[in-house]
Amino acid sequence: MTDPKTLAERFPGDFLFGVATAAFQIEGASKADGRKPSIWDAFSNMPGRVFGRHNGDVACDHYNRLDDDLDLIAALGVSAYRFSIAWPRVIPEGIGPVNEKGLDFYDRLVDGLKARGIRAFATLYHWDLPLALAGDGGWTARSTAYAFQRYAKTAIARLGDRLDAVATFNEPWCSVWLSHLYGIHAPGERNMDAALHALHVTNLAHGLGVAAIRAERPSLPVGLVLNAHQIYPGSETAADRAAADRAFDFHNGAFFGPAFGGAYPESFMQALGDRMPAIEPGDMETISQTLDWWGLNYYTPMRVAADPAEGAEFPATVPAPPVVDVRTDIGWEVHPPALGDLIRRLNADYTLPDCYITENGACYNMDVEGGAVDDQPRLDYIADHLDVTADLIAEGYPMRGYFAWSLMDNFEWAEGYRMRFGIVHVDYETQVRTVKKSGHWYRQLASRFPKGNHTYDAA
Ligand code: GCO
């Protein structure tokens, strides 16, 4: 179903259509106005970490093109914008002096959104940890959780009066497992002990952050954004089904369990609990404070089989092949039903608040030809996932909004600038933005919904 009008009719009038970005991926201006390096600056400047040694020094130059980009967002007809605040702009060394000029930028951003009738969804942590904190061990050090608490308080004290929603963390799965166990993201660690420490410290920081935000602004809806994985067993054998259960506990349960149930999964603790850092009295209560909303970032399912290797470390799985080989340009399987299966499973396992799809989108690298970008596969991808979202609403799940990832092409982490997720194309030589076919289509869809008069309806 790709007719925007027909699709729009499947959503309630107060459903939010938005676009999403993250600070490090678009801002550039990495040394401007007192910003200091993050772990991603260090990581991307180190040869062999990021494709082509691309870094975030210029990115989409959003920092210097703020007003034009806000106009672009408004022109897309959306009612909400999800962005992240860069900790290294606000407290450049993680702890210590607050940098007013860094906060000024987000003041202008938020005011600019308000002036255009667009809701502001801020994320406090989208992976740009101030590099100075690496000296203490970064996310493996408990002190980093307290540094985050202070940063959260500082950011919300200044901006909270004009935000419509705030998330503490974006995809802790990435900043924990992908960054400390698989070594793909900054800081590039590959060890389970470091990863387990990062896991608990990140979960704790989330909880401390929630409390800090609420102390500053009790009425501001607080959430957490998770890239939950829909995990399918590679076969129906008992061994592969058990592997999928272990993978669920490791990839989802290690985050959902603490945040929404106050406990790490049992199987996980049995296998790895003795290598976890000390869980201090009160930690799990701090982590499991009730949230106003949660965000799902969904792109592709995970398929796993049992790892045949003797003594393989938990969760002891290996990748299983996709059933149908439809992939985006980054190689990720396209399988929209997984979004529905995932929301149903998570709501069965946990008591969850309202849900926003805070990211969904696809990597296709078509370029500008004759002034246009024909990215039909991205349009189809978004339409198919929105169709599943509408089914979920019809089934009664509290799906409240959808943010397309991404507003524009940007720094795709370890892939650098070669992988494009935007509904707007960016020419990195000229910084010219060109709305793609998917972007024009998304505007037709989003424009059918009223702007600026959505009321937040806490569950
Ligand atoms: C994320 C991300 C984005 C990525 C996107 C595509 O994973 O949170 O927020 O930063 O660019 O997911 O990989």
Side-chain angles (χ1 to χ4, degrees):
M1 178 192 295
T2 51
D3 173 44
K5 182 168 174 293
T6 321
L7 186 55
E9 280 164 8
R10 301 200 62 204
F11 290 88
D14 63 353
F15 192 84
L16 286 186
F17 281 95
V19 287
T21 64
F24 191 79
Q25 297 182 271
I26 64 167
E27 285 179 0
S30 63
K31 297 178 180 69
D33 295 336
R35 182 188 183 276
K36 293 220 170 138
S38 72
I39 55 173
W40 267 98
D41 295 274
F43 191 74
S44 52
N45 288 327
M46 190 178 286
R49 298 296 210 178
V50 172
F51 172 80
R53 251 178 115 172
H54 297 170
N55 64 29
D57 284 355
V58 179
C60 306
D61 198 30
H62 171 70
Y63 192 81
N64 295 310
R65 294 166 194 267
L66 178 62
D67 285 322
D68 287 349
D69 284 342
L70 291 173
D71 287 343
L72 175 64
I73 295 167
L76 287 170
V78 296
S79 10
Y81 177 51
R82 173 175 180 253
F83 60 96
S84 79
I85 298 169
W87 185 352
R89 289 198 195 280
V90 174
I91 305 179
E93 292 179 34
I95 51 174
V98 172
N99 178 33
E100 295 299 328
K101 283 189 170 168
L103 282 166
D104 290 347
F105 173 73
Y106 298 104
D107 249 345
R108 296 203 307 277
L109 197 170
V110 173
D111 286 344
L113 291 173
K114 299 288 98 171
R116 291 165 177 83
I118 296 166
R119 303 207 143 219
F121 275 59
T123 302
L124 292 174
Y125 188 74
H126 202 127
W127 311 348
D128 41 3
L129 184 72
L131 182 60
L133 293 179
D136 300 322
W139 282 116
T140 69
R142 192 172 167 101
S143 54
T144 297
Y146 295 97
F148 177 80
Q149 178 184 32
R150 174 171 173 257
Y151 156 60
K153 181 176 163 53
T154 307
I156 297 309
R158 178 72 174 268
L159 304 164
D161 58 334
R162 285 151 293 148
L163 296 179
D164 294 282
V166 64
T168 53
F169 281 77
N170 173 74
E171 300 195 3
W173 181 92
C174 289
S175 54
V176 173
W177 301 143
L178 197 61
S179 301
H180 293 85
L181 181 60
Y182 305 131
I184 308 292
H185 279 189
E189 281 300 328
R190 284 177 206 266
N191 83 74
M192 182 63 93
D193 298 282
L196 292 168
H197 281 68
L199 171 67
H200 187 63
V201 171
T202 299
N203 282 333
L204 177 64
H206 157 72
L208 294 170
V210 171
I213 293 161
R214 292 220 167 111
E216 279 302 323
R217 274 264 132 209
S219 60
L220 176 58
V222 189
L224 171 64
V225 171
L226 296 162
N227 57 325
H229 292 79
Q230 172 55 29
I231 297 162
Y232 295 112
S235 77
E236 284 307 315
T237 62
D240 282 356
R241 288 212 311 272
D245 288 342
R246 292 193 303 275
F248 187 92
D249 286 347
F250 187 79
H251 297 290
N252 298 328
F255 304 96
F256 280 84
F260 298 108
Y264 289 98
E266 247 170 64
S267 71
F268 177 87
M269 287 308 272
Q270 263 166 23
L272 298 167
D274 60 337
R275 295 161 71 181
M276 291 279 283
I279 297 176
E280 297 190 4
D283 281 5
M284 299 315 289
E285 290 74 21
T286 300
I287 296 169
S288 58
Q289 292 163 85
T290 306
L291 298 179
D292 299 298
W293 62 279
W294 76 285
L296 171 65
N297 292 356
Y298 171 79
Y299 294 91
T300 188
M302 178 184 275
R303 298 183 189 273
V304 300
D307 186 342
E310 185 87 21
E313 193 167 60
F314 190 85
T317 61
V318 290
V323 178
V324 182
D325 205 13
V326 181
R327 295 169 188 264
T328 63
D329 286 352
I330 202 171
W332 298 353
E333 176 189 355
V334 178
H335 186 61
L339 171 59
D341 293 343
L342 179 58
I343 288 290
R344 291 180 197 104
R345 165 84 194 258
L346 291 169
N347 278 281
D349 284 18
Y350 305 101
T351 302
L352 299 174
D354 282 358
C355 179
Y356 292 84
I357 295 180
T358 33
E359 284 181 30
N360 177 245
C363 175
Y364 291 104
N365 295 324
M366 296 82 180
D367 239 313
V368 182
E369 276 178 51
V373 182
D374 183 353
D375 62 339
Q376 183 69 38
R378 176 178 290 106
L379 189 166
D380 292 339
Y381 179 102
I382 293 175
D384 289 347
H385 287 80
L386 278 170
D387 220 20
V388 172
T389 307
D391 291 343
L392 290 166
I393 294 170
E395 291 167 34
Y397 291 100
M399 313 303 292
R400 302 292 183 225
Y402 176 99
F403 293 80
W405 184 270
S406 177
L407 164 65
M408 58 186 158
D409 297 335
N410 58 48
F411 177 79
E412 179 50 31
W413 307 110
E415 300 293 341
Y417 296 97
R418 72 169 159 169
M419 293 297 171
R420 295 174 178 270
F421 280 82
I423 61 172
V424 175
H425 180 276
V426 176
D427 179 328
Y428 295 109
E429 298 296 315
T430 61
Q431 294 295 346
V432 167
R433 278 82 161 126
T434 305
V435 179
K436 301 179 190 180
K437 185 176 183 180
S438 60
H440 289 296
W441 174 86
Y442 196 63
R443 175 178 47 73
Q444 289 181 293
L445 175 70
S447 303
R448 304 194 70 85
F449 290 81
K451 302 293 163 306
N453 62 350
H454 294 57
T455 50
Y456 180 79
D457 184 19

